[in-house]
Amino acid sequence: MNAPAKPYNNLMGEIGYFLNIDKPAGMTSRDVVNRVVKFAETRRVGHAGTLDPLATGVLVVAIEKATRLVEYVQQQPKIYEAEFLLGQSSDTDDIEGRIEHRLVSQPPTRAEIEQVLSRFQGEIDQLPPKYSALKIGGRAAYDLARKGLEVDLKPRRIRIDSIELTGFDYPRVELTVACGSGTYIRSIARDLGEALGVGGLMSRLRRTAVGVFQIADAVGIEQLADGVHRPLADAVGHLPRLQVDAEGEIRFHQGKVFRRMDGPTDGSAVADVGDCSKEFAVFNFEGSFLGIGIL
């Protein structure tokens, strides 16, 4: 059955691109954005997924109309390389907070750590760190925590695709984590330590991938001029794809309703969007990305 499809994010007629930046330690994600604002000579700049100052690695920065696609970059899977320290904990769940060392008479074994890590795979409920940017009554949780006020965060459903123990020399634990949006690696450190009965915190974090944005392709903050301008289509590779002919492209630009077809007919669209899909990426027959449509 044909279903109405309304374009709601038409991206033609503007300039925009993504930069894949290797964020250094000590800088906030906002610091990076501010540098790009000066470099690109536009204030229309945003990033797709905050990295704490402690963390390094892939930070996808959107320029001009690419800012309208940030949420789609954020939906893509992420890969992290992390180091945890067992036998201690902190109020921030990482090494930058107030650290409490614990007396551990019998350190956990590698086998025990791997057994506990298996509980973290799949869809799980995770309590975010109280020192996070999540909003409570319109205020950032870290704002409340710094003032000594109560931080009442609720567990959130997240997805961890894989979690691999890549190194262990007590108290250091090295991991590679592939996960979905909204996952806090600091929370994994905290929860792993508590499950082992020894405490734990995150001491190092490097993001090596956000979807198609890989660390091998990232540029340093001092080499922005060498960065490849990544196309808007890189934000939507995970979405179902709809290809429209010339008439369908015109109707899409005009914001008119057009019909999803099962194959080429008299002029609307060729689609492979699936009956349950709500959003899809629209391309013309030349392969140019036009925008996002919704069924």
Side-chain angles (χ1 to χ4, degrees):
M1 181 180 295
N2 294 331
K6 297 182 179 181
Y8 74 92
N9 196 347
N10 191 328
L11 295 167
M12 297 299 287
E14 300 179 64
I15 297 173
Y17 58 93
F18 293 101
L19 284 176
N20 180 10
I21 297 173
D22 185 352
K23 188 191 87 66
M27 291 185 74
T28 68
S29 298
R30 183 66 224 182
D31 290 337
V32 174
V33 166
N34 291 341
R35 293 283 289 272
V36 176
V37 165
K38 293 180 181 178
F39 165 76
E41 298 182 336
T42 175
R43 299 198 62 80
R44 197 174 172 196
V45 178
H47 66 78
T50 301
L51 282 176
D52 293 333
L54 170 69
T56 66
V58 172
L59 184 68
V60 182
V61 177
I63 292 89
E64 293 290 345
K65 69 178 176 181
T67 56
R68 297 166 65 183
L69 295 170
V70 161
E71 64 180 288
Y72 298 98
V73 178
Q74 291 174 326
Q75 292 169 8
Q76 298 189 40
K78 301 164 181 65
I79 300 177
Y80 294 91
E81 294 177 354
E83 179 188 80
F84 298 165
L85 294 178
L86 300 178
Q88 51 193 290
S89 58
S90 79
D91 54 348
T92 59
D93 300 324
D94 63 26
I95 203 168
E96 296 192 324
R98 291 192 298 272
I99 296 175
E100 175 188 344
H101 292 271
R102 303 201 186 178
L103 181 62
V104 178
S105 57
Q106 184 64 47
T109 65
R110 186 185 185 104
E112 289 171 332
I113 293 171
E114 289 180 329
Q115 182 179 31
V116 171
L117 285 175
S118 66
R119 305 177 198 169
F120 291 92
Q121 297 204 55
E123 291 194 356
I124 64 171
D125 291 325
Q126 183 186 73
L127 182 66
K130 64 181 180 180
Y131 282 86
S132 66
L134 294 176
K135 295 290 194 288
I136 301 176
R139 299 177 64 183
Y142 63 74
D143 240 3
L144 300 174
R146 286 170 181 165
K147 291 182 165 103
L149 301 175
E150 182 178 356
V151 178
D152 185 22
L153 291 169
K154 306 298 183 187
R156 303 191 306 170
R157 199 73 173 168
I158 61 158
R159 187 190 80 250
I160 298 181
D161 300 315
S162 65
I163 183 164
E164 179 186 1
L165 180 62
T166 56
F168 173 56
D169 182 14
Y170 188 86
R172 297 183 185 277
V173 175
E174 295 178 348
L175 301 169
T176 297
V177 182
C179 58
S181 180
T183 302
Y184 282 92
I185 307 300
R186 284 183 285 153
S187 291
I188 298 176
R190 177 199 65 209
D191 295 343
L192 172 65
E194 290 306 315
L196 292 168
V198 298
L201 54 77
M202 186 183 76
S203 52
R204 181 176 58 82
L205 183 67
R206 183 161 178 78
R207 186 156 65 193
T208 59
V210 178
V212 298
F213 299 91
Q214 305 288 313
I215 193 63
D217 306 319
V219 297
I221 194 66
E222 304 299 337
Q223 289 81 42
L224 294 180
D226 299 328
V228 174
H229 290 193
R230 301 288 291 266
L232 304 183
D234 279 356
V236 296
H238 62 297
L239 292 181
R241 179 184 177 111
L242 183 143
Q243 192 172 31
V244 297
D245 60 14
E247 182 179 342
E249 182 174 354
I250 291 171
R251 294 180 67 84
F252 184 77
H253 293 335
Q254 293 173 341
K256 293 181 179 179
V257 173
F258 58 98
R259 294 189 301 170
R260 172 185 160 222
M261 301 294 182
D262 293 324
T265 57
D266 60 353
S268 289
V270 180
D272 181 18
V273 297
D275 292 335
C276 297
S277 296
K278 299 186 72 173
E279 293 182 326
F280 50 91
V282 182
F283 291 79
N284 63 20
F285 277 179
E286 286 71 47
S288 296
F289 176 54
L290 305 180
I292 306 293
I294 186 167
L295 284 174

